[in-house]
């Protein structure tokens, strides 16, 4: 029973941590040339292909692969966390490995799915929710101001570190209905 509690607490804690990890990775490795791979793939390629307004949506079928990360990023990110999680588990004397890994995996999966939906509209139910529309407008603004709105999933770190552009400071988002229509023809 106690291990369930610690695993659930680990899930919540590591999900919140995910926001800070996402923010740091995005700001320091995806937008600054510390390591060429993420900088090229994100700052040059992703931000080069996807801009604001109508250019926020996919414009060429061949760029479909440029929306998501390469498949090996997920095991790499989770794997890099395992030694630290095991150390923390040892220090706390409570089982947290499953909850912590699940939180990182869920956060990562949400990042990939939400970000994909943001750039490739297709009238999904999730796109109609206020929560998604808020997050989407938040990310659209990031494509205008690359060092703001760095979170895609949970803008907690943006709020804590002062990089959050509030709703009233955002530029208007492109029409998702029209975008979904264009995607239908594009991805046929
Ligand atoms: Zn994007
Ligand atoms: Zn970015």
């Amino acid at each position: 029973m106690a291990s369930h509690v610690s695993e659930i607490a680990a899930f919540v804690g590591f999900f919140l941590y995910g926001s800070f990890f996402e923010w740091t990775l995005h700001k320091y490795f995806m937008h600054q040339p510390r390591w060429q791979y993420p900088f090229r793939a994100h700052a040059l390629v992703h931000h080069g292909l996807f801009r604001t307004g109508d250019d926020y949506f996919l414009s060429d079928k061949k760029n479909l692969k440029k929306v998501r990360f390469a498949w090996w990023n997920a095991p790499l990110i989770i794997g890099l966390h395992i030694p630290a999680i095991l150390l923390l588990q040892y220090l706390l004397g409570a089982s947290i490995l499953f909850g912590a890994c699940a939180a990182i995996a869920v956060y990562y999966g949400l990042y990939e799915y939400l970000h994909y939906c943001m750039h490739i509209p297709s009238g999904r139910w999730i796109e109609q929710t206020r929560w998604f529309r808020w997050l989407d407008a938040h990310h659209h603004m990031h494509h205008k101001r690359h060092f703001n709105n760095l979170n895609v999933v949970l803008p907690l770190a943006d709020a804590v570190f002062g990089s959050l552009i509030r709703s009233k400071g955002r530029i208007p988002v492109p029409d998702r209905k029209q975008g979904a229509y264009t995607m239908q023809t594009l991805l046929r």
Side-chain angles (χ1 to χ4, degrees), residues 46 115 119 139 143:
H46 180 71
H115 191 226
H119 289 294
H139 185 63
H143 276 265

Side-chain angles (χ1 to χ4, degrees), residues 26 30-31 42-43 46-47 111 139 142-143 146 148-150:
H26 195 168
M30 290 158 74
H31 277 287
H42 186 79
H46 180 71
H47 278 276
Y111 178 100
H139 185 63
H142 168 70
H143 276 265
H146 298 178
N148 289 96
N149 292 6
L150 289 145

Side-chain angles (χ1 to χ4, degrees), residues 9-30:
F11 183 90
V12 175
F14 271 81
F15 195 83
L16 298 178
Y17 156 81
S19 177
F20 293 88
F21 179 76
E22 176 190 35
W23 190 94
T24 307
L25 190 71
H26 195 168
K27 180 170 179 173
Y28 294 106
F29 292 92
M30 290 158 74

Side-chain angles (χ1 to χ4, degrees), residues 105-124:
V106 168
Y107 198 104
Y108 182 91
L110 277 172
Y111 178 100
E112 287 285 59
Y113 183 66
L114 294 172
H115 191 226
Y116 186 86
C117 295
M118 286 168 182
H119 289 294
I120 301 166
S122 90
R124 303 167 187 91

Side-chain angles (χ1 to χ4, degrees), residues 131-155:
W131 161 70
F132 181 89
R133 286 181 178 265
W134 191 93
L135 272 183
D136 178 55
H138 175 81
H139 185 63
H140 178 252
M141 194 63 204
H142 168 70
H143 276 265
K144 173 96 183 154
R145 297 253 302 266
H146 298 178
F147 286 95
N148 289 96
N149 292 6
L150 289 145
N151 289 125
V152 168
V153 178
L154 177 67

